[in-house]
Amino acid sequence: MKRKSTVLRIIENLKILYPEAICSLVYEKDYELLFATRLSAQCTDARVNMVTPELFATFPTLESFARATPDEVGAIIRSCGLYQTKARDLVACAKVLIEQHNGILPDTMEELTALPGIGRKTANLVLGDIFHKPAIVADTHCIRITGRLGLTDGTKDPVSTEKQLRAVIPPEEGSDFCHRMVLHGRAVCMARNPDCTNCLLKGDCDFAKANKIK
């Protein structure tokens, strides 16, 4: 377990590297972030951002999504992968939001994860970005990097990663910390050939120390 001072230093160094901790998914309405994040499963944010302008223009309201058929939605999001399942989820999710929540995005983990196709990762992103509540988004970048740093025990399980990070990351820092993990994972700490030599975090990183990176 890292010392509190070490964890805070990692957080501060990430702020130096990535001052703007923002979600890379483009959206305007609250539910659009929910839908875009659902589309991002096993798909890059860049690809999702190429698809959503047409998607949200074709179906500009929750009501229009609810009236759509999965085939109509699927034709637009086809390039995102697993598009048939995702299309069914978006249509079903729109119907549930209208019928059970008066068209308003709920603000609890329990209600969000009860929506069709919505898991903890998506729910945490919405809770952090939309409602500014404590959140840990345990995506692939977060899981990989926090394991390398030694902030977790190296688990690949998202729920276990989330639980361990909630124990060490100050609640008010969680959402931004995870956005910075994504940025760091793309720029420096890649899955293959991480650029440890030029990483500002190497002094506090178990992976760098194990590989004798200076």
Side-chain angles (χ1 to χ4, degrees), residues 140-141 144-145 148 185-186 188-194 207:
T140 55
H141 293 292
R144 178 180 72 253
I145 300 171
R148 286 175 174 174
R186 291 172 179 166
V188 179
C189 196
M190 291 76 71
R192 297 181 180 180
N193 302 315
F207 180 86

Side-chain angles (χ1 to χ4, degrees), residues 24 30 38 43 50 56 61 64 84 126 128 135 156 175 199-200:
S24 57
D30 292 355
R38 177 66 187 97
C43 179
M50 293 173 64
F56 296 147
T61 64
S64 58
Q84 292 174 318
V126 169
K156 304 301 181 185
S175 183
C199 181
L200 187 60

Side-chain angles (χ1 to χ4, degrees), residues 106-160:
D107 64 352
T108 68
M109 176 65 71
E110 293 72 22
E111 290 174 306
L112 286 167
T113 53
L115 297 172
I118 303 304
R120 289 190 67 88
K121 185 188 84 169
T122 299
N124 269 303
L125 183 63
V126 169
L127 289 173
D129 278 35
I130 301 298
F131 298 108
H132 309 294
K133 292 187 174 185
I136 295 291
V137 182
D139 73 342
T140 55
H141 293 292
C142 182
I143 292 170
R144 178 180 72 253
I145 300 171
T146 56
R148 286 175 174 174
L149 286 167
L151 295 175
T152 70
D153 62 9
T155 179
K156 304 301 181 185
D157 177 63
V159 175
S160 182

Side-chain angles (χ1 to χ4, degrees), residues 4 7-8 11 15 124 127-129 131-137 162 164-178:
K4 182 178 180 180
V7 175
L8 294 178
I11 291 172
K15 290 179 181 179
N124 269 303
L127 289 173
D129 278 35
F131 298 108
H132 309 294
K133 292 187 174 185
I136 295 291
V137 182
E162 179 187 340
Q164 291 181 47
L165 290 178
R166 284 186 183 275
V168 296
I169 303 296
E172 69 276 11
E173 298 283 1
S175 183
D176 286 351
F177 172 84
C178 293

